[in-house]
Amino acid sequence: MEKEKQAEILVSRGIDFASRGKHAQAAEIFLEALDLVPGHPVLCFNLALEYLALKEPELALSCLKTSTTADPENPDYWCETGVALFELKDYSGAEDAFDRAVSLGGETSRLWNGLGVLRFITEEYSQAEEFFFRAVKLDPKNRDAWFNLADTLDVLGKRTEAREARREYEKLGGGT
């Protein structure tokens, strides 16, 4: 029990570092916590998020395998698995992971943005538009989704809507 309490303290510190954009420090702290409670799926998930922020999708995927094995019904674990696989250019694997997240009730902006990007790169622009709209509705502060929506609307010839989406992106600090 003592190790679990120590790990909880470390997790709080790790989350604090992550919230301030100090992803390398957060990852180190989550690794320390995992030394105390090896294989803990939530800790592995938190570490995976930091690895994704550090552009280390291989390391993230390794952590996410532990998480999805321990709790295969968690849609967030599958969503981030999709993100990691996408970063590794395994688009088919990413699609499968995102679809799994959806089938488990996943409903996050990051999930729908990821699915939208997959539709965009396969030139399924109408469905990409639908998914990006869903992403910005779920999280109006998702800069990536606004940017992707603007590009998709441009491709679809919806110039007025594309300009509006680009304005939303710029309001959130994009393009600066």
Side-chain angles (χ1 to χ4, degrees):
M1 191 58 112
E2 181 62 31
K3 286 184 178 186
E4 289 176 6
K5 287 183 182 187
Q6 289 174 334
E8 285 177 24
I9 292 167
L10 288 170
V11 168
S12 294
R13 287 183 49 216
I15 290 170
D16 179 55
F17 276 118
S19 71
R20 292 185 284 138
K22 297 183 177 192
H23 301 292
Q25 293 93 330
E28 287 176 27
I29 290 173
F30 290 134
L31 282 168
E32 284 181 52
L34 277 166
D35 283 342
L36 296 170
V37 284
H40 191 284
V42 175
L43 283 174
C44 289
F45 178 71
N46 285 332
L47 180 57
L49 293 175
E50 299 314 311
Y51 284 146
L52 286 171
L54 293 167
K55 306 294 183 204
E56 296 285 350
E58 300 91 357
L59 294 173
L61 195 56
S62 175
C63 294
L64 290 161
K65 284 182 182 175
T66 300
S67 297
T68 57
T69 299
D71 184 1
E73 302 300 311
N74 187 316
D76 294 332
Y77 296 171
W78 288 106
C79 175
E80 297 307 322
T81 297
V83 171
L85 289 168
F86 182 87
E87 292 297 321
L88 293 168
K89 298 187 181 357
D90 178 354
Y91 302 132
S92 174
E95 177 89 25
D96 290 344
F98 286 140
D99 286 347
R100 179 83 183 261
V102 170
S103 75
L104 293 169
E107 189 65 17
T108 65
S109 181
R110 189 162 164 100
L111 172 60
W112 291 105
N113 185 62
L115 282 166
V117 171
L118 286 172
R119 293 304 179 273
F120 187 91
I121 64 175
T122 57
E123 300 180 357
E124 298 171 66
Y125 301 119
S126 293
Q127 195 165 36
E129 174 190 17
E130 175 188 333
F131 291 166
F132 293 136
F133 266 121
R134 195 165 185 171
V136 298
K137 183 177 180 186
L138 287 166
D139 180 6
K141 294 182 181 181
N142 184 334
R143 288 180 25 205
D144 291 339
W146 281 112
F147 180 86
N148 294 332
L149 176 60
D151 279 356
T152 303
L153 292 167
D154 267 337
V155 169
L156 291 169
K158 299 178 178 183
R159 305 289 184 241
T160 302
E161 295 97 326
R163 279 191 298 278
E164 291 170 11
R166 202 152 326 277
R167 275 195 291 276
E168 289 298 323
Y169 168 72
E170 289 168 359
K171 278 189 218 174
L172 295 169
T176 57

